[in-house]
């Protein structure tokens, strides 16, 4: 039995997870923005104790805990190096956690955890290598090979969201120009939708989002496209191409058996996203005998908890 902890900016979720990646029980608590890093880790340890108790499992039967962190972690050292939206900064996470709950603790970046979860218990089960791509504010990517996560030097690797797909393109939070995530993330899709709306005052997109650019969401263009709106269909065609650029590069470098697409956007109807993207990716792969499967990730909101727990199986 493992404990998987999904450390989010607004909520902390801990789950009791079995060997197969099935969640038996979950507990959550909201994040207090005033907590220090030490207080946050202490809360996570307490939440872990709570989820075991509520799930009727003795702590002696918990083999380990994994924590998925939205930032850079050094699992070897047991530290959270930095996080953009949380108080962690060279935080000795493992040491602090084990002061309150002395079990093995593994740390993973949230995108890597999503890859671990899909590999052990999701859409990539039985496949190797596995590339997981999460479409959200940015693009998170993770790689599993031979049952292990590939995380590069100092745990900082597989940041494919910063592949350059547009030389001298839009500025990115990383300091670079033209990174893939500026064109292929959910944020980018929203930006593309808004600018298409400004150029097309009669588009159904306006109706779908209640007449306000502020209300455009990742699903907006899919809703309008479903109703046959030409502008929305054009936006999606452009987005599918942008998405495929990074996926083609990943495919030609890594030769994954499967690429899983996750994040809210990935739940769109297959004919509006997954099918055309798969076709574009396969067209761009140079070895037609070894084309990757391109599938929707299957763990959804549970990816963080399951993936974090599965870190315990990857050492
Ligand atoms: Zn970047």
């Amino acid at each position: 039995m493992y404990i998987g902890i999904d450390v989010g900016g607004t909520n902390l979720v801990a789950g009791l997870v079995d060997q197969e990646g099935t969640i038996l029980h979950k507990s959550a608590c909201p994040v207090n923005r005033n907590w220090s890093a030490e207080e946050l880790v202490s809360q996570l340890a307490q939440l872990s104790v709570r989820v075991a108790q509520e799930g009727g499992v003795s702590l002696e039967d918990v083999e380990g805990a994994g924590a998925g962190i939205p930032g850079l972690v050094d699992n070897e050292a047991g530290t959270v190096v930095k996080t953009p939206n949380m108080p962690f900064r060279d935080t000795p996470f493992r040491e602090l956690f084990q002061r309150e709950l002395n079990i093995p603790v593994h740390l993973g970046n949230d995108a890597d955890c999503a890859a671990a979860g899909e590999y052990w218990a999701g859409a990539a089960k039985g496949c190797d290598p596995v590339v997981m791509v999460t479409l959200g504010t940015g693009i998170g990517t993770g790689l599993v090979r031979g049952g292990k996560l590939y995380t590069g030097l100092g745990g900082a690797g597989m940041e494919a969201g910063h592949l350059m797909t547009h030389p001298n393109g839009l500025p990115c939070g990383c300091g670079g120009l033209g990174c893939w995530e500026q064109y292929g993330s959910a944020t980018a899709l929203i930006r593309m939708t808004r600018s298409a709306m400004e150029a097309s005052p009669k588009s159904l997109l306006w109706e779908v989002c209640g007449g306000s650019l502020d209300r455009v969401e990742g699903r907006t263009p899919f809703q309008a496209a479903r109703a046959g709106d030409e502008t929305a269909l054009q936006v999606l065609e452009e987005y599918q191409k942008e998405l495929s650029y990074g996926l083609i590069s990943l495919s030609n470098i890594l030769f994954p058996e499967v690429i899983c697409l996750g994040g809210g956007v990935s739940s769109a109807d297959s004919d509006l996203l997954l099918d055309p993207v798969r076709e574009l990716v396969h067209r761009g792969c140079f070895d037609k005998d070894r084309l990757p499967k391109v599938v929707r990730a299957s763990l959804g909101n549970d990816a963080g908890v399951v993936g974090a727990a599965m870190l315990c199986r990857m050492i």
Side-chain angles (χ1 to χ4, degrees):
M1 196 70 64
Y2 308 116
I3 291 171
I5 310 167
D6 185 1
V7 183
T10 48
N11 267 306
L12 310 174
V13 186
L16 201 53
V17 181
D18 71 11
Q19 297 270 349
E20 302 305 312
T22 307
I23 297 178
L24 307 177
H25 185 71
K26 265 196 289 193
S27 296
C29 79
V31 172
N32 181 333
R33 297 252 167 211
N34 297 320
W35 282 339
S36 65
E38 287 75 15
E39 284 168 322
L40 196 46
V41 179
S42 165
Q43 290 293 328
L44 290 169
Q46 288 169 33
L47 189 63
S48 302
V49 172
R50 198 174 102 199
V51 79
Q53 281 170 349
E54 288 175 357
V57 167
S58 154
L59 287 170
E60 276 100 70
D61 294 327
V62 177
E63 289 170 60
I69 314 273
L72 177 57
V73 303
D74 183 343
N75 185 42
E76 215 165 295
T79 57
V80 180
V81 181
K82 58 182 174 184
T83 43
N85 301 309
M86 303 194 91
F88 299 120
R89 180 95 210 172
D90 292 321
T91 304
F93 188 105
R94 181 177 293 137
E95 186 194 320
L96 292 167
F97 189 96
Q98 288 176 334
R99 273 185 206 166
E100 306 206 23
L101 178 55
N102 196 12
I103 56 175
V105 178
H106 309 283
L107 300 176
N109 163 274
D110 53 357
D112 291 330
C113 285
E118 294 297 329
Y119 172 78
W120 287 106
K125 201 171 175 182
C127 295
D128 190 357
V130 172
V131 167
M132 171 72 199
V133 175
T134 308
L135 308 170
T137 311
I139 294 183
T141 54
L143 168 67
V144 180
R145 167 73 183 119
K148 307 266 185 215
L149 280 165
Y150 177 81
T151 56
L153 182 65
M158 274 309 284
E159 288 288 345
H162 303 288
L163 270 172
M164 191 206 286
T165 56
H166 288 258
N168 297 315
L170 293 169
C172 180
C174 73
L177 293 176
C179 292
W180 182 33
E181 70 175 23
Q182 296 306 318
Y183 300 86
S185 61
T187 313
L189 175 59
I190 290 169
R191 186 197 69 238
M192 288 154 70
T193 304
R194 284 181 179 145
S195 82
M197 287 167 69
E198 284 172 321
S200 310
K202 290 193 179 138
S203 165
L204 187 67
L205 282 162
W206 286 101
E207 202 177 301
V208 170
C209 66
S212 163
L213 287 175
D214 293 336
R215 288 203 225 147
V216 175
E217 299 173 302
R219 62 184 169 176
T220 305
F222 296 103
Q223 289 170 324
R226 191 75 293 156
D229 182 66
E230 198 52 43
T231 308
L233 286 162
Q234 278 166 14
V235 168
L236 290 183
E237 196 180 326
E238 190 59 31
Y239 180 67
Q240 291 152 10
K241 261 192 254 170
E242 297 291 354
L243 202 48
S244 76
Y245 295 153
L247 297 177
I248 290 166
S249 293
L250 285 169
S251 301
N252 284 334
I253 296 168
L254 301 168
F255 277 65
E257 183 175 353
V258 65
I259 297 176
C260 296
L261 289 183
V265 166
S266 71
S267 63
D269 291 346
S270 295
D271 62 317
L272 295 178
L273 188 73
L274 204 58
D275 296 344
V277 165
R278 182 187 302 111
E279 202 182 315
L280 289 165
V281 171
H282 286 179
R283 211 183 294 164
C285 286
F286 73 83
D287 187 339
K288 305 296 184 209
D289 296 327
R290 290 166 190 80
L291 296 173
K293 290 178 233 172
V294 180
V295 303
R296 186 182 289 123
S298 68
L299 296 176
N301 289 336
D302 289 333
V305 167
V306 175
M310 290 299 105
L311 292 177
C312 302
R313 293 190 67 179
M314 302 189 102
I315 32 156

